[in-house]
Amino acid sequence: MRPDLFEAPDYYNLDDLLSEEHLLVRDAARQWVKRDISPIIEEYAQKAEFPTQILKGLAEIGAFGPYIPEEYGGAGLDQISYGLIMQEIERGDSGVRSTASVQSSLVMYPIYTYGTEEQRKKYLPKLATGELMGCFGLTEPDHGSNPGGMTTNFKDKGDHYLLNGAKLWISNSPFADIAIVWAKNEEGRIHGLIVERGMEGFSTPETHNKWSLRASATGELIFDNVKVPKENLLPGKNGLGAPLGCLDSARYGIAWGAIGAAMDCYDTALRYAKERVQFGKPIAATQLQQKKLAEMITEITKAQLLAFRLGQLKNEGRATTAQISMAKRNNVEMAIKIAREARQVLGGMGITGEYSIMRHMMNLESVITYEGTHDIHLLITGADITGHQAFK
Ligand code: TGC
Ligand code: FAD
C-alpha cells in the first residue's frame, strides 16, 4: 500500500466547534492510525487476519471505553471525543473500529450500566487496557433483525445457570476472553450473562471467506450445556431493551466512524484526480470528476454536522434511539456511496490494494448491515414519525 498522505477535510471549519480536549484526543488517534494502522492494514485484510498487535495502541488512544469513568479504567471522555476516536479509527479500517466499538459499547457499556460493582471492578479495568477482550452475542442463525425471537436460553440449576444455544456473526468472538451473551430465562425474559472462555461447553468457531471486514475476526458462539456462575448475570436491566440500549451507543459510534471511511476515500480520490493526467490535463479539471468530488465533500460535511449535533444531544442525555438510527443510516449510506464513486475516480488503480478505497467499500457492506440493517433503521425512523411499527 502507498504511504498514507491523508489530510482531513473540514470544509465548514468544524474544528472551531471542538474543544481543546476534543482536538487532542482526535489528533492522537489520527497520528496513531497513520503510524500503526495504515502501513499494515492492507496486508492483514489480504490475509484475512486481525492484527492483534494493535490492541495495546487502541487502548493507549482511549479507544476501549472512551466514556467509561476513569475509576474503572476508562478514559472519562465525552461523547464527541468518543465519536472522533471512532472516526479516526475507521479512517484506517472499519474492522479495527469494529473491535473498538464492540469492546467499548457492547462489552464495557453493559457491564458498566447493568453490572454489579463487583463485575465492574473485575472486568472493566482489564477491558480498558486490552488485557481482556470481549464480544457481544445477540444475533442468532435464525434471528438477526428480530433479536426478540432468540432461542438461546438458560435454566436456573440452583447454584448456577445452564446455558444452551448459538450466536452467529459475532465480531471478535474467535479471540475474545469474555462474551456478553443475551439469552432467555425459563419465563422467556431476555438477560445478559458474562460467559468466559474456558467454560466447559463454550466454543467460538471462526467464520471464514468474508469479502468484507477481512481484518476483523468474526465467528460463532456455541453453548452446549455451559454452566454459568450466578454472579455472572447482569442484574441491572432485562428485556430486549437491555441489548438495544447497548446498540444505541455502538450505532452512535458508527455514525461517526463512517465519516472517517468517507473522508479517506474522498481525500484519496481528490489527490489522485489532481495528479492523474488524461487528454493532456488533470482529470480533476474535468466537469464529471468535479461533480463527483464536489458531491462527496458536500455529503461529508452534512454527515459531520449530523454527527456533531447528535454528539451534543448525547452529551446532554437527550439523543433518542430514532435520532441515532437516522445518523447511522445516513452516514453509512453516505460513506458507501462515496467509496463507490471514489473508486471510479481512480479508474483501474481503484481496484487494487495500493489504495484503501476498495477495502473501505467492501468493509462498508458489513457496516450497512450490522448494528441494524439500512432497512431496519428506516423502519425505526418510520415508526418514530408515524407512530406505526411496520416491522411485524
Ligand atoms: P420493540 O417492541 O420495539 O422493543 C422491545 C423493548 O425494547 C425497548 N427498546 C429500547 N430500549 C432501550 N434502547 C433502545 N434503543 C430500545 N429500542 C426499543 C422497547 O421500549 C421495548 O421495551 P418493553 O419494556 O416495552 O419491552 O422491539 P421489536 O422486537 O419490535 O424490535 C425492534 C427493532 C426491530 C428495532 C429491534 O429489534 C432492532 O433494532 N433490530 C435490529 C437488530 C440489531 O441491530 N442487531 C445488532 C446486533 S449487534 C451487532 O450487529 C454488532 S456489530 C459490531 C461491530 O462489529 O461493530
Ligand atoms: P436478516 O434479519 O435476515 O435480514 C435480511 C434482509 O431482510 C435485510 O435486508 C433486512 O433489512 C431485511 N428485513 C428484515 N426484517 C425486515 C422487515 N421487518 N421489513 C423489511 N425488511 C426486513 N451481531 C451480534 O450480535 N454481534 C456482533 O458482534 C455482530 N458482528 C457482526 C459482524 C459482521 C461482519 C456482520 C456481517 C454481522 C454482525 N452481526 C453481529 C450481525 C448483524 O447485526 C446482523 O447481520 C444484522 O442485524 C442483520 O441480521 P441478518 O444478517 O440475520 O439479516
Side-chain angles (χ1 to χ4, degrees):
M1 197 173 149
R2 296 188 175 221
D4 181 355
L5 303 173
F6 178 68
E7 284 172 46
D10 183 14
Y11 204 71
Y12 262 41
N13 302 333
L14 283 164
D15 276 8
D16 294 354
L17 301 179
L18 300 178
S19 69
E20 221 166 279
E21 181 172 77
H22 294 147
L23 293 171
L24 274 173
V25 166
R26 197 267 318 268
D27 291 346
R30 187 168 286 174
Q31 282 158 18
W32 178 76
V33 166
K34 213 167 221 185
R35 196 191 64 213
D36 286 9
I37 297 299
S38 299
I40 60 143
I41 196 64
E42 180 63 28
E43 181 197 336
Y44 278 84
Q46 292 280 0
K47 60 184 181 186
E49 199 179 306
F50 176 73
T52 45
Q53 71 273 23
I54 67 171
L55 292 175
K56 192 164 170 282
L58 277 169
E60 280 167 6
I61 61 165
F64 293 159
Y67 54 84
I68 298 292
E70 286 171 292
E71 62 175 304
Y72 298 108
L77 297 168
D78 76 347
Q79 292 291 324
I80 291 177
S81 291
Y82 164 44
L84 288 164
I85 293 173
M86 296 299 123
Q87 172 188 284
E88 295 306 315
I89 298 175
E90 192 146 1
R91 206 281 292 173
D93 190 79
S94 303
V96 178
R97 197 269 307 132
S98 262
T99 292
S101 290
V102 170
Q103 184 86 341
S104 299
S105 289
L106 300 183
V107 178
M108 295 178 76
Y109 175 88
I111 293 175
Y112 176 67
T113 314
Y114 313 139
T116 62
E117 193 54 26
E118 289 69 35
Q119 289 168 341
R120 289 171 165 192
K121 285 189 177 135
K122 179 175 176 189
Y123 296 107
L124 291 177
K126 289 184 180 165
L127 289 163
T129 60
E131 185 184 338
L132 279 184
M133 291 301 297
C135 66
F136 177 89
L138 181 64
T139 306
E140 298 188 349
D142 294 330
H143 301 95
S145 298
N146 176 27
M150 71 174 65
T151 57
T152 297
N153 65 88
F154 63 99
K155 291 188 168 55
D156 190 334
K157 293 289 177 186
D159 62 341
H160 65 270
Y161 297 119
L162 201 62
L163 178 65
N164 278 289
K167 301 286 176 180
L168 186 65
W169 294 120
I170 307 305
S171 300
N172 299 352
S173 91
F175 61 84
D177 303 289
I178 63 168
I180 303 296
V181 177
W182 300 95
K184 284 181 178 165
N185 67 8
E186 283 144 293
E187 287 77 49
R189 191 79 184 156
I190 294 170
H191 288 261
L193 296 164
I194 305 171
V195 178
E196 299 189 9
R197 185 173 295 283
M199 287 180 176
E200 209 181 321
F202 174 42
S203 56
T204 60
E206 184 159 359
T207 302
H208 295 289
N209 291 330
K210 290 179 298 168
W211 282 108
S212 174
L213 288 192
R214 288 173 62 83
S216 160
T218 313
E220 298 169 53
L221 301 175
I222 295 174
F223 315 104
D224 180 10
N225 286 319
V226 181
K227 281 184 182 176
V228 181
K230 285 201 153 170
E231 65 264 24
N232 284 26
L233 183 115
L234 297 173
K237 185 158 177 165
N238 57 54
L240 187 57
L244 291 180
C246 308
L247 296 185
D248 276 356
S249 177
R251 291 166 177 173
Y252 166 76
I254 292 173
W256 281 89
I259 299 172
M263 291 199 307
D264 197 47
C265 293
Y266 164 77
D267 180 62
T268 304
L270 179 62
R271 185 169 303 105
Y272 190 89
K274 286 178 180 170
E275 288 170 2
R276 178 70 176 167
V277 174
Q278 288 293 290
F279 299 98
K281 65 177 183 183
I283 59 169
T286 67
Q287 287 186 354
L288 280 175
Q289 304 316 316
Q290 285 189 8
K291 178 174 187 293
K292 291 191 183 94
L293 294 163
E295 285 176 354
M296 284 182 210
I297 191 61
T298 307
E299 292 308 315
I300 287 171
T301 305
K302 284 153 65 179
Q304 286 171 325
L305 288 163
L306 197 59
F308 183 79
R309 176 61 186 146
L310 187 64
Q312 288 179 323
L313 290 172
K314 241 185 160 275
N315 276 342
E316 293 163 14
R318 291 199 293 141
T320 66
T321 293
Q323 286 170 335
I324 294 167
S325 275
M326 181 184 281
K328 191 269 185 183
R329 183 174 187 274
N330 181 79
N331 290 9
V332 176
E333 185 181 41
M334 171 283 297
I336 208 166
K337 282 184 173 165
I338 285 179
R340 288 169 184 156
E341 289 286 294
R343 200 216 59 71
Q344 291 192 55
V345 174
L346 268 69
M349 286 310 290
I351 70 153
T352 73
E354 283 287 292
Y355 295 91
S356 53
I357 296 177
M358 189 98 180
R359 180 167 42 81
H360 283 307
M361 189 171 111
M362 298 204 301
N363 283 343
L364 289 162
E365 291 291 343
S366 287
V367 182
I368 204 163
T369 289
Y370 67 31
E371 298 275 5
T373 66
H374 198 58
D375 297 329
I376 289 296
H377 289 297
L378 177 129
L379 295 175
I380 290 173
T381 306
D384 192 50
I385 58 175
T386 65
H388 295 286
Q389 262 223 5
F391 304 110
K392 296 164 189 168

